[in-house]
Amino acid sequence: MSQPGPDPSSTQTAAATGAKPTYEQASGRVEEIIRRLDSGDASLSETLALVKEGKAMIELCANELGEVGAALEELRLDDLVSRLERESSS
């Protein structure tokens, strides 16, 4: 009988395993951090650590979104060039 794989809802971050987290993992971790901070149960040192980690996760998400936006813009430009080339050869 096979054993189940890792729990996808685990709060272990990819950073703890040495891997760069995905956008989905990073945004999920930001939500966990916000919940923890909102609980009011975090100590001062934990709050500082959570804020630093949250900032890093938000920056990762922003960079990922920026890359997607740039790729979409490039696709739009390629489409525009193709349409202009078709129109000029007609």
Side-chain angles (χ1 to χ4, degrees), residues 46-69:
E46 182 184 3
T47 297
L48 180 59
L50 288 170
V51 168
K52 286 181 180 180
E53 182 184 1
K55 181 181 177 198
M57 294 296 105
I58 290 168
E59 288 174 354
L60 185 141
C61 289
N63 288 337
E64 291 285 322
L65 290 173
E67 288 177 19
V68 169

Side-chain angles (χ1 to χ4, degrees), residues 25-36:
Q25 290 169 327
S27 63
R29 182 62 183 143
V30 168
E31 290 175 12
E32 291 172 3
I33 289 169
I34 290 170
R35 279 193 295 273
R36 178 66 179 154

Side-chain angles (χ1 to χ4, degrees), residues 6-28:
D7 179 6
S9 65
S10 170
T11 59
Q12 179 183 19
T13 64
T17 63
K20 176 183 172 187
T22 64
Y23 174 86
E24 292 78 9
Q25 290 169 327
S27 63

Side-chain angles (χ1 to χ4, degrees), residues 6 10 13 15-16 18 20 22 30-31 48 55 62 65 72 75-78 80-82 84 89:
S10 170
T13 64
K20 176 183 172 187
T22 64
V30 168
E31 290 175 12
L48 180 59
K55 181 181 177 198
L65 290 173
L72 289 172
L75 285 174
R76 283 189 217 112
L77 290 174
D78 288 345
L80 177 61
V81 168
S82 295
L84 289 173
S89 64

